[in-house]
């Protein structure tokens, strides 16, 4: 697997937290800790997508037209994003 080197800036409190996780034996170094956080975030997003797909499947067949569904999606988008 190819890797990319990144530089990040942490507050003293954040750095202390990462160091405490390493000292506790949960991780062997900073990189391992951050990669685990990224994997967990990716998994959470994937699970949310799977749940949304399942909810759609479970909701059954709609009697709305494609235009009705599209208008509803646009309305929700505007309500969330101003």
């Amino acid at each position: 697997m190819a890797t990319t080197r990144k530089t990040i800036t942490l507050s003293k409190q954040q750095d202390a937290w990462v160091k405490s996780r390493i000292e506790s034996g949960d991780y062997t170094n900073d990189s391992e800790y951050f990669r685990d956080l990224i994997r967990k975030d990716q998994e959470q997003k994937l699970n949310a997508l799977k749940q949304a797909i399942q909810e759609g499947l479970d909701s059954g067949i709609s009697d709305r037209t494609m235009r009705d569904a599209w208008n509803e999606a646009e309305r929700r988008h505007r309500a969330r994003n101003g």
Side-chain angles (χ1 to χ4, degrees), residues 39-80:
R39 279 190 296 272
K40 287 177 181 175
D41 186 46
Q42 290 171 326
E43 184 178 334
Q44 181 181 14
K45 296 290 182 183
L46 181 59
N47 286 339
L49 179 58
K50 287 178 179 178
Q51 180 180 351
I53 290 169
Q54 189 59 53
E55 288 174 7
L57 293 171
D58 293 345
S59 70
I61 297 174
S62 175
D63 59 353
R64 297 186 308 165
T65 66
M66 182 60 90
R67 171 65 62 195
D68 292 339
W70 186 261
N71 289 340
E72 175 66 16
E74 286 182 329
R75 185 194 64 73
R76 287 182 187 179
H77 178 73
R78 282 192 300 276
R80 279 193 294 242

